[in-house]
Amino acid sequence: MINIAIDGTVGSGKSTLARGIADRLGFHVLDTGAIYRALACSFRDEKHNKIDEQEVEEFIKDKNIEVFFVGKNQHVSVNAIDYTNMLREEEISNLASQISPNPVLREKVRELQQEFAKKYDCIIEGRDIATDVLPNADFKFFLTAKPEIRAMRRYQQSQEKNISYGEVLKDLKERDYRDEHRMIAPLKPAKDSIIVDNSQMTLEQTIEYCLNIINKKYDKYGKNKRIKQ
Ligand code: DC
């Protein structure tokens, strides 16, 4: 199988890039943030009053996570509850960022991601895909842009009307800090990742830029052969 890893900062356009590449190459896409978000929804449903290691480990023990597709749309269910419609709430963004460093929880999510990569030619997007989940991925992209630009993209996409640009920027910087400084699987490019700063690019240009890199190797080795880095 051909596996493409896309990691990067929040609001850098990882999902759009993954979708754009997938549409052109006919690959599957796995949005791993959605898995952590669905777990955050389930955690919220259980009304835990603390978010410490013990509490998260107790929570994850009996959880059955399923990823499935309705057309091209990814759905995630936890213990048979489909949380897809709630994943983008701001409260869930924050909660996902707080529970996701837990190593036991990450191990469960990692296994699910690796199974997916074995089954499909795919693009997996997240934070630690190139460094930890798929260290042998055929392509590794690390996407980022200046915080102010990413916050503006998030603000424009947000469905919540009562949140200001300033709040989105503050939130995004805090999440960057948490993602980059956590002990487990901190956000950083792998040694062999291609770093793409798209502050000065549209998302469409970002897709073209990465597709060019992929297509060069595709042409070289032929579409039916495994791509070698
Ligand atoms: O990409 P996102 O904003 O949907 O991710 C939601 C949260 O999940 C984010 O705060 C970090 C976490 N996450 C992670 O720890 N590892 C991943 N591979 C993807 C997301």
Side-chain angles (χ1 to χ4, degrees), residues 6-11 14-15 31-37 87-88 92-101 105-106 109 113 124-129 133 154 175-176 178-179 182 184-185 187:
I6 300 180
D7 295 299
T9 49
V10 60
K14 298 186 295 291
S15 309
D31 166 6
T32 61
I35 304 171
Y36 292 98
R37 285 168 181 269
L87 301 182
R88 298 287 139 196
I92 291 302
S93 301
N94 285 321
L95 191 52
S97 161
Q98 290 175 68
I99 66 169
S100 59
L105 182 142
R106 293 198 80 78
V109 179
Q113 296 167 99
I124 302 197
E125 60 115 332
R127 300 288 194 287
D128 59 340
I129 310 305
V133 180
R154 277 270 139 139
R175 286 173 59 197
D176 275 356
R178 278 205 292 269
D179 285 350
R182 65 189 185 190
I184 307 285
L187 174 67

Side-chain angles (χ1 to χ4, degrees), residues 57-213:
E57 284 174 17
E58 194 55 40
F59 157 78
I60 197 69
K61 253 192 210 158
D62 64 346
K63 294 298 174 293
N64 179 35
I65 311 163
E66 282 179 296
V67 173
F68 57 99
F69 292 85
V70 179
K72 283 185 183 169
N73 296 327
Q74 176 182 318
H75 286 238
V76 188
S77 69
V78 180
N79 286 3
I81 302 175
D82 183 350
Y83 287 107
T84 308
N85 292 334
M86 297 171 207
L87 301 182
R88 298 287 139 196
E89 291 173 20
E90 279 301 316
E91 188 191 352
I92 291 302
S93 301
N94 285 321
L95 191 52
S97 161
Q98 290 175 68
I99 66 169
S100 59
N102 183 281
V104 180
L105 182 142
R106 293 198 80 78
E107 181 54 30
K108 197 157 191 164
V109 179
R110 186 202 290 139
E111 281 168 17
L112 191 150
Q113 296 167 99
Q114 290 176 337
E115 284 306 311
F116 191 90
K118 272 189 219 152
K119 261 196 254 166
Y120 304 111
D121 286 329
C122 64
I123 298 139
I124 302 197
E125 60 115 332
R127 300 288 194 287
D128 59 340
I129 310 305
T131 48
D132 193 40
V133 180
L134 301 177
N136 298 319
D138 300 276
F139 293 95
K140 298 177 176 182
F141 294 106
F142 188 91
L143 204 56
T144 193
K146 291 196 176 76
E148 292 72 18
I149 289 175
R150 292 184 283 124
M152 184 50 76
R153 291 177 187 157
R154 277 270 139 139
Y155 177 66
Q156 286 168 346
Q157 284 165 3
S158 176
Q159 286 149 7
E160 295 191 24
K161 299 283 172 248
N162 53 0
I163 188 157
S164 67
Y165 166 74
E167 285 167 315
V168 175
L169 179 61
K170 180 171 168 282
D171 218 52
L172 180 138
K173 285 185 173 169
E174 283 171 8
R175 286 173 59 197
D176 275 356
Y177 187 87
R178 278 205 292 269
D179 285 350
E180 285 163 14
H181 290 85
R182 65 189 185 190
M183 298 293 284
I184 307 285
L187 174 67
K188 60 170 193 257
K191 284 199 188 81
D192 50 352
S193 287
I194 298 166
I195 298 174
V196 182
D197 183 329
N198 67 4
S199 300
Q200 308 293 331
M201 294 183 209
T202 63
L203 293 179
E204 207 36 60
Q205 288 167 334
T206 312
I207 295 169
E208 286 306 319
Y209 179 82
C210 295
L211 269 169
N212 270 336
I213 294 172

